[in-house]
Amino acid sequence: MRKIRRWGAWLLLIIPLALNAQQRTEKLLNVPLPEHWQEEDAMFQQQLPVDDHWWTVFQDATLDSLIHVAVRQNPSVLTALNRIDMAKANLRIARGGYYPALSLDARWNRQQTSGNTGTGQPQSRVGYYDATVNMSWQVDVFGSIRQRVKAQKENFAASREEYNATMVSLCAEVASAYFNLREAQQELSVLQRNALSQKAVVDITEVRYNTGLASKLDVAQAKSVYYSTLASIPATESGIIQYMNALAVLLGLYPQDVTAALETGKPLPDYIEPVGVGLPGQLLLRRPDVRVAERQVNAQAALLGASKTDWLPSFFLNGSFGYASHDMKDFTKRSSMTWSIAPSMSWTIFNGGQRANNVRLQRAQLDETINQFNITVLTAVQEVDNAMSSYKNSIKQIVACREMLNQGKEAFKLSLDLYKQGLSPFQNVLDAQRSLLSYENSLVQAQGYSLLCLIQMYQALGGGW
């Protein structure tokens, strides 16, 4: 059964080139792609998402500038560009096999023979000039060179897709780090705002204590809540610095180069909009990692074909053309011309099973790349489904957190008013204070998480570059 699957996979690689890319890709899959995503919701539209610059939907000029800098200076992007150059050089090296190899040999020789060797020949002195152009050309009768060139061409295309994958990942990482920073800055703002409110409550309890309307316990409890909030501020400020440093690395800069542009906090985008996700089949045409896996399959199939041609003979055409003469004045005369032409064939009959084992190796590597392709596609579908589910539920969480915050504000206001009137114990105020801070933080975190889910969705869809 395994053998049948292997040969079936090999036959899938030689389907007509007239088939489009999606059809060729789907034929490599062990299982058909689903017709629809697992998540069916009004938040998702059955159309392809925006191809370029998805981050502009957040309408944040700072984020646009950060991504613009990152794509020009990030070391990972520069490394991906270097890999493209290396793949292009390898392709040109392989294409060089189509052409003959030419070499030029030129020499001047002066020698003297002995007259005392017993041969009866007198001593003589001879000198001559010689210049020859040599040619050696392997005639690609059975396509060995052509198959290797094809493999390098697919590797070159794969390197370009890897560059695209790097760009998609980089844009998502920059956006994620940026919104993590803005979320931390919003959490700091929430802490500072609640600290001011809690300080006002401390002042109220002290006034009531000094007038004999409250106990010292109320003052101590109010201060414990206030100082607990103040104690949370340094850790949040430390997190802000760490996110700035992470952004600096992604931009290929030092932290001090980005601090001035990012130290002022900005609110998180209030983005709750439908997202175009397309269909699972369209995903194969968008994700760079899927296209890389397909190119690798094609390259390995070409190498398998090239290894099979090693069983066949190789044909060569060798020749030379030049001039040779004792005197330089006669060097370019017709009578000084030399030339030769020598077609040849080389056919390895036995080499210890190396060719057979090389074919087995290439076939096993082809099976591996096909399996890796299937894993890549299945992972891609899984990542999109996960991102869609996370984003949809994050929107529900934001709606619930907003209502929770509104009720928390109302509870704090009512409990404080009742406490001032002496109609409610101070414990209700303390509980309302703690809950209000927690509710505000929960809303900020829910908004940040929703943005990260949306970024992950765009990344999973392969959009953004």
Side-chain angles (χ1 to χ4, degrees), residues 20 61 77 112 129 141 146 152 184 207 230 234 240 277 284 319 326 334 361 368 372 391 396 424 446 449 464:
N20 61 39
V77 174
Q112 177 176 299
Y129 302 88
V141 176
R146 184 172 65 254
Q152 292 301 329
V207 170
L230 290 182
I240 290 173
V277 295
L284 302 183
H326 289 290
R334 185 181 182 88
L361 172 63
E368 180 184 0
Q372 188 60 47
Y391 179 64
K396 295 179 181 178
S424 175
Y449 176 69

Side-chain angles (χ1 to χ4, degrees), residues 187-208:
E187 290 177 353
L188 177 62
S189 177
V190 167
L191 289 171
Q192 293 172 339
R193 186 168 58 250
N194 278 269
L196 291 176
S197 174
Q198 292 163 4
K199 182 63 170 65
V201 173
V202 170
D203 295 339
I204 292 173
T205 57
E206 288 179 337
V207 170
R208 289 176 62 82

Side-chain angles (χ1 to χ4, degrees), residues 29 48 67 104 122 149 164 169 183 195 215 239 292 319-320 333 338 342 361 423-424:
L29 293 171
L48 283 175
I67 291 180
L104 173 64
V149 169
N164 293 334
S169 177
E183 179 185 335
S215 67
V292 168
S320 66
K333 290 182 178 181
T338 65
L361 172 63
L423 300 176
S424 175

Side-chain angles (χ1 to χ4, degrees), residues 55-287:
W55 52 88
T56 57
V57 301
F58 301 119
Q59 298 181 0
D60 192 317
T62 303
L63 175 60
D64 298 343
S65 300
L66 292 176
I67 291 180
H68 180 70
V69 173
V71 298
R72 289 188 293 108
Q73 298 187 183
N74 182 270
S76 297
V77 174
L78 300 179
T79 300
L81 289 173
N82 290 336
R83 289 173 180 167
I84 292 178
D85 291 337
M86 290 188 289
K88 184 185 294 185
N90 284 329
L91 174 58
R92 290 174 176 173
I93 291 172
R95 282 177 173 170
Y98 286 134
Y99 306 101
L102 299 176
S103 63
L104 173 64
D105 294 332
R107 62 182 179 271
W108 173 71
N109 186 26
R110 184 77 171 174
Q111 65 181 20
Q112 177 176 299
T113 60
S114 172
N116 298 319
T117 58
T119 61
Q121 298 294 330
Q123 184 183 37
S124 64
R125 183 175 298 170
V126 180
Y128 66 92
Y129 302 88
D130 183 12
T132 306
V133 176
N134 301 299
M135 181 198 74
S136 178
W137 183 28
Q138 180 179 356
V139 185
D140 192 28
V141 176
F142 299 107
S144 175
I145 298 175
R146 184 172 65 254
Q147 292 291 339
R148 287 178 169 84
V149 169
K150 181 181 178 181
Q152 292 301 329
K153 187 182 297 183
E154 294 294 338
N155 288 332
F156 173 60
S159 69
R160 300 184 66 175
E161 296 297 347
E162 288 174 349
Y163 169 80
N164 293 334
T166 300
M167 299 298 284
V168 170
S169 177
L170 174 64
C171 293
E173 288 180 9
V174 172
S176 298
Y178 176 74
F179 286 129
N180 280 328
L181 170 64
R182 293 309 187 198
E183 179 185 335
Q185 290 174 333
Q186 285 298 299
E187 290 177 353
L188 177 62
S189 177
V190 167
L191 289 171
Q192 293 172 339
R193 186 168 58 250
N194 278 269
L196 291 176
S197 174
Q198 292 163 4
K199 182 63 170 65
V201 173
V202 170
D203 295 339
I204 292 173
T205 57
E206 288 179 337
V207 170
R208 289 176 62 82
Y209 170 70
N210 292 333
T211 57
L213 298 175
S215 67
K216 186 69 173 177
L217 176 61
D218 292 353
V219 178
Q221 288 177 322
K223 287 184 177 180
S224 68
V225 173
Y226 170 64
Y227 287 113
S228 174
T229 302
L230 290 182
S232 301
I233 291 178
T236 304
E237 290 177 335
S238 176
I240 290 173
I241 297 300
Q242 291 176 10
Y243 285 127
M244 285 187 183
N245 293 343
L247 269 173
V249 172
L250 290 172
L251 269 59
L253 300 172
Y254 290 105
Q256 55 267 30
D257 297 329
V258 300
T259 301
L262 299 174
E263 60 185 356
T264 302
K266 293 179 64 175
L268 290 167
D270 188 13
Y271 187 85
I272 304 178
E273 300 291 339
V275 180
V277 295
L279 297 172
Q282 295 170 324
L283 176 67
L284 302 183
L285 303 179
R286 295 179 51 81
R287 290 221 1 168

Side-chain angles (χ1 to χ4, degrees), residues 1 24 77 127 157 182 205 213 234-235 241 258 310 352 357 415 421 435:
M1 189 66 183
R24 286 189 286 112
V77 174
R182 293 309 187 198
T205 57
L213 298 175
I241 297 300
V258 300
D310 292 339
N357 288 313
S415 63
Q421 299 171 20
S435 297

